[in-house]
Every structure is written in C-alpha cells, then in structure tokens.
Amino acid sequence: MNILSTMNIGSSALSAQSTRLNAISSNLANVNTTETPEGGPYRKKSVVFRSAPAFENELTTREEIQGVRVDRIISDDSDPKRVYDPSHPDAGENGYVEMPNINVVEEMTDMMTAARAYEANVTSIKSSQRMAMKALEIGR
Amino acid sequence: MSGIDPIGQMPGLIQQQTAQNGVREPDGETFAQTLTQAVARTEGLQDKAKQAVQAFNTGESQSLHDTMVAMEKADISLRFMTQVRNKAVDAYKQIMRMQV
C-alpha cells in the first residue's frame, strides 16, 4: 500500500533526524571536554545522510522514491580552540588548553533545523494518515 | 419417425448445460481467500505494533516514532478491515432482503 510507504519514508527520515539530534546534543554536552579516549579534545561530530530504499517488498512504489538513512558519522578535524588557562590540568607548557572545535551558536541553529526537519516529516506522516482516513470515508 | 431422439438421452444434455452455465469454482482467488489474506495482513501489522510497543516499554528500542508509526499502520489497517467487513455484511443484508 502506498500510504504505508509514505509512512516508511517518513519514519526513516525521523530516525535520521533523531540521530542528527543525537550528534548535536553530543556536541553540546562535550563543549568543554578536553579529554577523550582517542586523546586530545573532543571533536565536533556530524552526520552524513544517504538516500535508501525504505520499503519492505512494496511493489507499487517506484524505486526512485527513497527514504533516508544515516550513512556515517564524521569527526570535524579542524584545529581545536586554544584557550589560555594555566591552572587547567590539560594545559600545555605555555598555559594554553586545547578546547573542542565546537561553536555553541552553530550547534543551536543546527538543533533548530533538525527539530524543524523532524516536524516536517511528522507532518508528512500525519498527512498520509489523513489521506488514508479520507480514503476510508469513501466507504461510509 | 425414426429421426426423433429417445428422451433418455436428455438428462445428459441437461447436466452438460448446468456444468456450462451453473455455479462453478472460480479460477483465481476466491473472495474468502482474499479476505483471509487481508485479515492476515492486518494481523501482521497489529503484531508488529505490539512488538514495537513491547520493545519500547522494555527499553529494547529507543525509537518512539517507529513505535508510533507501527501503531498508526495497525490502526489504519484495522479501520480498513472494518470497512471491508461492513461492506460484506451490507452485501449479505441486501441479498437477504431480496424478494423471492
């Protein structure tokens, strides 16, 4: 059923956007993290999306119409911010600490776009549901 | 007068005609089969929704939207089945009301 395919596509987008939101909240949580298992300060994470078929054996839907999935999560390798704080345990010899390369304002705007994209996909699922309900009204 | 066929041959002819024009088994799917498949599909979606809710409640799955979408699919599917049932019952009633 095509209506259910719309829901699958929407659902894949919701999963993708919530993974993106996970990455953003991870970035915000680690805005002051100077130590990581791989060494050095935390590095900004971002997600890469890839289109993907979102149907389980749906024959009625065209192949070109695809859902989305998170392909990979990448680390931003740009230089860490250097902050002068000699009292910090991770400070170098010259008193500078390497802080994560995260811009809080950027993360907040990313968070808003992720939330909006999520809302948009919820709206598409809702409208497919409304369409299904309208179709059922034919029989009434 | 020898050209008239004996009446004894007639029943065979009548039988042949009923076989041609009378009720016979349809070649493709019967309505009952279609209905059974539709019910099975609805049941499958209901089952998926149940599993999704269970997985979410036990903390196995973290995805609220997948649970909601599964429930919504089950809901639409059940509503559709109800409509199919209403139609079938309507058709039955129409036939029962028929003047004989």
Side-chain angles (χ1 to χ4, degrees):
Chain A
M1 240 185 280
N2 246 320
I3 297 274
L4 299 188
S5 306
T6 311
M7 288 196 166
N8 287 345
I9 296 173
S11 175
S12 74
L14 294 185
S15 296
Q17 293 298 338
S18 51
T19 310
R20 183 177 168 205
L21 195 63
N22 281 353
I24 293 166
S25 51
S26 166
N27 289 344
L28 283 174
N30 287 293
V31 73
N32 289 320
T33 306
T34 53
E35 294 173 20
T36 50
E38 57 268 24
Y42 177 88
R43 296 199 179 270
K44 176 184 162 138
K45 302 281 185 290
S46 40
V47 291
V48 179
F49 293 159
R50 177 185 286 273
S51 67
F55 325 107
E56 320 129 8
N57 56 50
E58 295 287 346
L59 299 171
T60 48
T61 313
R62 296 180 61 96
E63 271 178 32
E64 295 93 320
I65 299 168
Q66 296 202 312
V68 65
R69 67 180 170 81
V70 175
D71 189 49
R72 57 190 189 277
I73 294 173
I74 52 169
S75 269
D76 182 358
D77 282 333
S78 63
D79 289 336
K81 274 192 283 188
R82 288 162 60 81
V83 176
Y84 185 71
D85 186 2
S87 63
H88 197 286
D90 290 319
E93 281 176 11
N94 48 11
Y96 278 94
V97 189
E98 290 194 331
M99 297 298 266
N101 50 358
I102 293 168
N103 181 348
V104 177
V105 180
E106 223 172 72
E107 296 304 317
M108 294 301 283
T109 47
D110 275 356
M111 190 167 74
M112 279 161 71
T113 49
R116 292 288 177 226
Y118 194 94
E119 278 172 34
N121 284 293
V122 169
T123 310
S124 90
I125 290 179
K126 267 191 177 172
S127 76
S128 87
Q129 184 235 28
R130 270 202 302 276
M131 280 163 75
M133 291 300 170
K134 280 287 164 200
L136 287 174
E137 274 178 29
I138 296 171
R140 247 166 239 159
Chain B
M1 293 307 256
S2 60
I4 297 172
D5 291 332
I7 202 141
Q9 287 179 1
M10 293 301 274
L13 193 67
I14 292 165
Q15 259 177 7
Q16 204 187 342
Q17 275 188 341
T18 359
Q20 272 169 6
N21 306 332
V23 182
R24 58 183 174 81
E25 283 296 309
D27 303 326
E29 285 178 3
T30 62
F31 179 66
Q33 279 171 336
T34 316
L35 199 65
T36 314
Q37 276 171 14
V39 170
R41 192 188 158 100
T42 306
E43 214 176 325
L45 286 170
Q46 295 274 349
D47 203 45
K48 267 190 195 165
K50 197 180 98 184
Q51 281 168 8
V53 171
Q54 210 164 36
F56 186 74
N57 281 339
T58 52
E60 193 185 312
S61 149
Q62 300 286 322
S63 149
L64 180 62
H65 55 263
D66 278 344
T67 315
M68 290 306 292
V69 166
M71 273 158 61
E72 203 52 58
K73 278 182 186 174
D75 180 65
I76 289 173
S77 171
L78 184 69
R79 278 169 202 268
F80 174 66
M81 272 313 299
T82 318
Q83 288 297 325
V84 172
R85 176 244 172 226
N86 289 348
K87 281 283 166 215
V89 171
D90 274 356
Y92 172 74
K93 279 185 182 159
Q94 289 277 354
I95 289 167
M96 288 308 283
R97 274 201 293 269
M98 206 179 277
Q99 295 281 338
V100 186

